[in-house]
Amino acid sequence: MSAVLQSLVNQPYKHGFVTDIESDVAPKGLNEDTIRLISAKKNEPEWLLSFRLDAYRKWVTMSEPDWQNVHYSKIDYQDISYYSAPKPKNKLASMDEVDPELLRTFEKLGVPMHERAALAGVAVDVIFDSVSVATTYKQKLAEVGIIFCSISEAVHNHPELVKKYLGSVVPVGDNFFAALNSAVFTDGSFCFIPKGVKCPMDLSTYFRINTEGSGQFERTLVIAEEGASVSYLEGCTAPQFDTNQLHAAVVELIALDNANIKYSTVQNWYAGDENGIGGIYNFVTKRGLAKGVNSRISWTQIETGAAITWKYPSCILRGDNSVGEFYSVAVTNNFQQADTGTKMIHIGKNTRSTIISKGISAGHSNSSYRGLVRITPTADGARNYSQCDSMLIGDQCGAHTFPYIQVQNNTAKVEHEASTSKIGEDQLFYLSQRGIGAEEAVSMIINGFCKEVFQQLPMEFAVEATKLLSFKLEGSVG
Amino acid sequence: MIDKNSTTLLSIKNLHASINTTEILNGINLTVKSGEIHAIMGLNGSGKSTLAKVLAGHSAYEVTAGTIEFEGKDLLALPPEERARAGLFLGFQYPIEIPGVANTQFLRLAYNTIQAQRGKDELDPLEFDDFVREKMKLLDMKPDFLDRSVNEGFSGGEKKRNEILQMALLEPKLSILDETDSGLDIDALKIVANGVNQIAHKDNAIILVTHYQRLLDHIVPDFVHVMQAGRIVMTGDKKLAMELETRGYDWINADQRLATGVNA
């Protein structure tokens, strides 16, 4: 691997390593010493250690939630190693060494040739393209005052911002998994858009390769100051493998007056095999605070991977006239389980929220929409529109909808619509009678079903997402 | 339009088919040549629509005996999409809705799939738009048909016109129109019939599945077959349809009992 790449990969940790600790992996188990070790390894300031310890002390008093509609065997939290130094991935000498299954996947997804090599971990010169892209990005963003870096870097270079906002939307004791994350997070992304700046491009973690493999407890913080706007893309359609089964990320968004944050996710963690063996547990807390007047927070998610998904990207609409949006497609196949949805908490006057959720279940999978719309007494004139549609493929899968509506202000308007449909034998027969093959037919039906959500995605992502869904459901019909 | 140079498109011999072990088709024999228009009539439950679906390859039906040849090839060996690509078209009695999919997107995909099969040029969205608008005039369809989701929120008449539009676009060799006249008012019936008549020519063939004579006032069949209990019990020309209209299906029942007796 080139020196340039090596340094980029290691960059976030350049401040970190303490020479007297030889091992790169912390012993298994979690206690206050583990947390002190993580903090010391990362050479963190005292306030961050306190933050972590505070979270840990809350976490030990909490118990794992069991209200969600998913089933898995108990996680032994003392059997996990909470710190390992990031190592550059083993590079393969050529594309010939790459798992043919992975190549077939790339083919199906239409991943561009030069990216396939990078994603598969092949050490070829084309990887430099990504490096130069990343560098160009950074320069362009710096010119307008945007900070986009790993959260470890931000802790050292912009401590006042991190200290001010970290945990301000998702408090350390918010829930079991958020508390765990707050105690042990190792890295993640930090993004700051200063006053009045419209971010000139979509910010993508995909290009921020210097924090590749930021681990199982990822932490993301996005701040848009007054009048700023940003579109943030998380994940990519290529399948992601990880040896850690438990992933508990936290994402916090803060939008000040007239600011606009659009956060799009394509999640394709390893989902386990067709018998439900293995796969990632994706237990994520994502929350946005529409703090200022006329601010807007918009979540778009395409959830296709993970053995178990547990996430509710939410909006707290505190500013008057603020807007919250949630657009979601959750696909489950084989033995996958997803319990996902959103919370819209209306506090400010004339706040508005929209929820569009599309669940697609195939195989033996189970998909649940769980959503809360709360109109607090101060939210005069608040409005919400929710639409939850489920599609079933085959007769072994399940779809469930759990909408909770709490209205404490009688000027509010709340609408909820829900539907469940089966991908019809009849629809497939109709399309096939026009010469259209099964794969294209499924793709077309699914695409139509998810249209309102795909429309929210950046163009390129939308095309990839369509292919990804077809790929995920391949073979589940007919 | 019976032509002496016509070729055999479809040949059904002793066809038996069942759904969930209940036999619906009970020995169908039928030959259709190019240039011909056939009408298949009969009461509800006589097996007309089943025959249409079996020809198109619907997976709910199992063929238990008999053969179907399409241009000399074994049709039963082909999955539904291959049958369509070979030039067999089914106009649905109840066209299926596909929410969120623009009609034009669906029509173009179907058109290009068939074109590719025939080794002809596929059309890009702009070229296709011009092409399809021309065809839509044939059926007096408004341009907004193209942007609406496939059959979603269409009236009965609009759905049937959309079926005939597909027939016009795909130029099948054999079209089976399953109760295309049901749910149409008289004006819509004329428009649809006029469309079908313009598409019909000496190299293709049409099978009309219908309850009533009234469609046959506008599309004149060369042959009329009457189905009952999964068999064709009587075949004639358009006069047979008129006779049925005046005398009712009971007349066939009486007649058929005699016929069975003779043939047994």
Side-chain angles (χ1 to χ4, degrees):
Chain A
M1 187 165 53
S2 82
V4 179
L5 190 56
Q6 183 96 44
S7 69
L8 262 173
V9 168
N10 289 328
Q11 202 171 341
Y13 304 94
K14 68 186 172 191
H15 306 283
F17 297 93
V18 181
T19 46
D20 60 359
I21 301 165
E22 285 186 8
S23 168
D24 274 350
V25 182
K28 282 180 178 177
L30 184 56
N31 54 43
E32 293 202 5
D33 288 342
T34 329
I35 288 162
R36 287 178 204 280
L37 174 80
I38 293 169
S39 198
K41 280 264 193 190
K42 297 171 70 65
N43 196 19
E44 287 176 352
E46 188 57 34
W47 61 264
L48 191 50
L49 175 61
S50 309
F51 177 94
R52 290 178 182 280
L53 289 172
D54 184 23
Y56 174 73
R57 286 165 195 157
K58 292 209 162 73
W59 181 73
V60 290
T61 67
M62 302 168 94
S63 49
E64 203 170 327
D66 59 1
W67 44 262
Q68 65 272 47
N69 188 24
V70 300
H71 304 280
Y72 57 94
S73 43
K74 265 198 132 14
I75 299 167
D76 182 355
Y77 292 92
Q78 297 305 333
D79 193 39
I80 294 173
S81 170
Y82 289 86
Y83 182 84
S84 62
K87 271 179 285 197
K89 286 178 184 168
N90 286 330
K91 293 292 172 187
L92 305 174
S94 79
M95 286 300 272
D96 297 340
E97 293 179 27
V98 178
D99 181 358
E101 184 67 14
L102 193 61
L103 290 179
R104 197 182 77 92
T105 307
F106 288 160
E107 188 75 40
K108 286 270 176 191
L109 292 173
V111 175
M113 203 51 93
H114 64 278
E115 288 176 23
R116 287 182 201 180
L119 290 167
V122 177
V124 286
D125 290 340
V126 286
I127 291 175
F128 287 121
D129 290 349
S130 313
V131 175
S132 62
V133 168
T135 313
T136 321
Y137 253 52
K138 284 214 155 184
Q139 280 167 358
K140 211 167 167 186
L141 294 174
E143 280 167 24
V144 289
I146 292 173
I147 304 165
F148 184 37
C149 62
S150 74
I151 203 146
S152 308
E153 262 182 291
V155 165
H156 291 282
N157 300 337
H158 309 282
E160 70 298 338
L161 287 174
V162 180
K163 194 173 175 182
K164 183 173 176 187
Y165 290 110
L166 190 73
S168 70
V169 187
V170 179
V172 291
D174 186 81
N175 67 65
F176 184 83
F177 296 112
L180 180 62
N181 174 288
S182 299
V184 302
F185 73 88
T186 40
D187 218 328
S189 302
F190 178 81
C191 171
F192 176 81
I193 317 293
K195 208 167 173 171
V197 172
K198 312 261 179 247
C199 187
M201 64 189 87
D202 293 342
L203 294 184
S204 166
T205 44
Y206 185 76
F207 281 114
R208 214 174 44 62
I209 56 163
N210 52 348
T211 53
E212 192 178 323
S214 48
Q216 59 188 134
F217 301 105
E218 198 170 347
R219 187 89 193 191
T220 303
L221 183 55
V222 180
I223 302 142
E225 282 198 326
E226 291 84 351
S229 75
V230 61
S231 166
Y232 188 97
L233 314 180
E234 176 194 60
C236 60
T237 50
Q240 290 173 281
F241 296 91
D242 196 305
T243 48
N244 299 308
Q245 185 159 47
L246 173 65
H247 278 243
V250 171
V251 176
E252 295 176 281
L253 313 181
I254 296 117
L256 304 185
D257 291 355
N258 303 302
N260 192 335
I261 301 175
K262 186 175 168 62
Y263 194 104
S264 312
T265 305
V266 172
Q267 186 265 104
N268 191 13
W269 286 113
Y270 179 53
D273 65 15
E274 66 271 22
N275 298 314
I277 308 299
I280 304 283
Y281 296 173
N282 194 34
F283 300 156
V284 182
T285 305
K286 289 182 166 180
R287 195 173 301 156
L289 175 61
K291 193 174 184 181
V293 295
N294 302 317
S295 55
R296 174 190 289 259
I297 288 186
S298 178
W299 298 100
T300 304
Q301 61 171 18
I302 311 296
E303 298 287 319
T304 69
I308 303 173
T309 298
W310 180 93
K311 67 181 275 200
Y312 314 91
S314 305
C315 298
I316 300 170
L317 304 173
R318 186 188 290 167
D320 289 348
N321 307 315
S322 59
V323 175
E325 294 171 320
F326 175 75
Y327 299 97
S328 170
V329 169
V331 182
T332 52
N333 198 356
N334 298 322
F335 287 86
Q336 279 178 280
Q337 306 176 69
D339 192 308
T340 184
T342 185
K343 288 189 275 188
M344 293 290 175
I345 313 294
H346 292 253
I347 299 168
K349 294 183 175 50
N350 301 313
T351 45
R352 282 168 291 149
S353 63
T354 303
I355 298 170
I356 308 285
S357 165
K358 305 281 181 176
I360 301 164
S361 320
H364 292 80
S365 71
N366 239 309
S367 174
S368 302
Y369 166 81
R370 186 183 304 276
L372 168 67
V373 176
R374 179 185 292 158
I375 313 284
T376 64
T378 54
D380 292 339
R383 277 181 289 159
N384 162 267
Y385 173 75
S386 303
Q387 184 189 329
C388 305
D389 300 321
S390 309
M391 182 178 270
L392 303 172
I393 301 176
D395 51 12
Q396 305 288 312
C397 55
H400 314 269
T401 304
F402 304 97
Y404 302 88
I405 299 170
Q406 300 170 357
V407 179
Q408 294 168 294
N409 183 313
N410 60 15
T411 63
K413 266 192 208 164
V414 176
E415 290 174 72
H416 180 90
E417 288 179 26
S419 77
T420 302
S421 56
K422 246 185 122 173
I423 196 164
E425 287 286 317
D426 285 341
Q427 284 179 325
L428 290 171
F429 178 60
Y430 188 62
L431 294 176
S432 67
Q433 214 304 301
R434 299 304 182 247
I436 299 168
E439 267 184 52
E440 268 183 309
V442 171
S443 164
M444 187 171 238
I445 294 166
I446 297 291
N447 202 13
F449 178 69
C450 300
K451 190 174 165 191
E452 293 142 294
V453 176
F454 285 167
Q455 279 171 341
Q456 300 298 324
L457 288 172
M459 187 60 185
E460 221 179 277
F461 244 30
V463 174
E464 288 186 29
T466 310
K467 288 185 188 159
L468 177 61
L469 256 58
S470 313
F471 177 68
K472 280 291 185 184
L473 296 168
E474 190 179 73
S476 60
V477 182
Chain B
M1 207 178 357
I2 303 171
D3 189 280
K4 61 180 185 316
N5 298 320
S6 65
T7 57
T8 299
L9 281 178
L10 182 73
S11 170
I12 304 175
K13 289 190 179 130
N14 187 34
L15 182 68
H16 289 252
S18 56
I19 184 165
N20 301 330
T21 70
T22 306
E23 186 157 80
I24 311 283
L25 299 184
N26 183 22
I28 300 271
N29 292 291
L30 179 65
T31 301
V32 177
K33 293 181 175 171
S34 59
E36 294 177 351
I37 297 179
H38 291 241
I40 296 181
M41 304 184 73
L43 290 169
N44 277 336
S46 60
K48 309 186 300 291
S49 285
T50 296
L51 175 60
K53 286 180 188 160
V54 167
L55 284 171
H58 196 293
S59 61
Y61 300 91
E62 192 194 349
V63 172
T64 50
T67 59
I68 307 176
E69 284 186 358
F70 186 65
E71 292 196 301
K73 286 175 300 215
D74 179 8
L75 191 71
L76 293 172
L78 302 177
E81 62 270 25
E82 295 291 340
R83 298 184 193 193
R85 290 172 198 166
L88 185 143
F89 178 90
L90 173 62
F92 281 61
Q93 181 179 3
Y94 303 108
I96 309 296
E97 298 181 1
I98 305 174
V101 176
N103 208 17
T104 183
Q105 189 191 347
F106 159 65
L107 294 173
R108 191 170 76 89
L109 180 59
Y111 177 78
N112 280 341
T113 306
I114 302 286
Q115 286 291 99
Q117 174 77 17
R118 292 175 184 162
K120 292 187 185 165
D121 288 344
E122 298 180 30
L123 296 183
D124 69 31
L126 289 176
E127 294 167 333
F128 183 74
D129 196 63
D130 291 341
F131 177 70
V132 72
R133 277 165 197 266
E134 206 49 49
K135 296 279 183 192
M136 282 164 69
K137 286 183 192 161
L138 195 72
L139 292 152
D140 198 20
M141 293 167 87
K142 294 196 201 79
D144 75 338
F145 259 93
L146 293 174
D147 302 323
R148 293 162 67 185
S149 293
V150 179
N151 293 324
E152 195 185 33
F154 283 26
S155 71
E158 287 174 328
K159 284 183 179 174
K160 295 299 170 69
R161 276 191 238 185
N162 205 28
E163 292 296 288
I164 305 304
L165 175 64
Q166 291 165 51
M167 178 180 165
L169 285 172
L170 304 181
E171 298 181 347
K173 289 174 191 154
L174 175 67
S175 302
I176 304 142
L177 304 181
D178 189 6
E179 309 219 6
T180 294
D181 51 333
S182 68
L184 293 185
D185 61 33
I186 190 68
D187 291 334
L189 182 73
K190 279 183 186 166
I191 291 167
V192 165
N194 183 45
V196 173
N197 283 328
Q198 291 196 43
I199 298 164
H201 58 73
K202 67 177 174 55
D203 295 323
N204 62 24
I206 296 168
I207 298 174
L208 303 166
V209 174
T210 182
H211 274 285
Y212 305 109
Q213 152 69 19
R214 64 172 197 161
L215 177 66
L216 308 182
D217 289 339
H218 302 279
I219 307 173
V220 181
D222 301 300
F223 300 95
V224 173
H225 311 277
V226 179
M227 271 188 77
Q228 205 160 61
R231 313 175 74 160
I232 291 174
V233 294
M234 191 176 277
T235 294
D237 60 14
K238 63 180 177 180
K239 278 182 251 145
L240 175 58
M242 286 187 256
E243 195 138 15
L244 276 173
E245 187 79 0
T246 49
R247 300 176 68 176
Y249 284 98
D250 283 345
W251 156 69
I252 297 274
N253 285 344
D255 212 61
Q256 204 249 327
R257 277 193 290 273
L258 287 174
T260 325
V262 170
N263 292 340

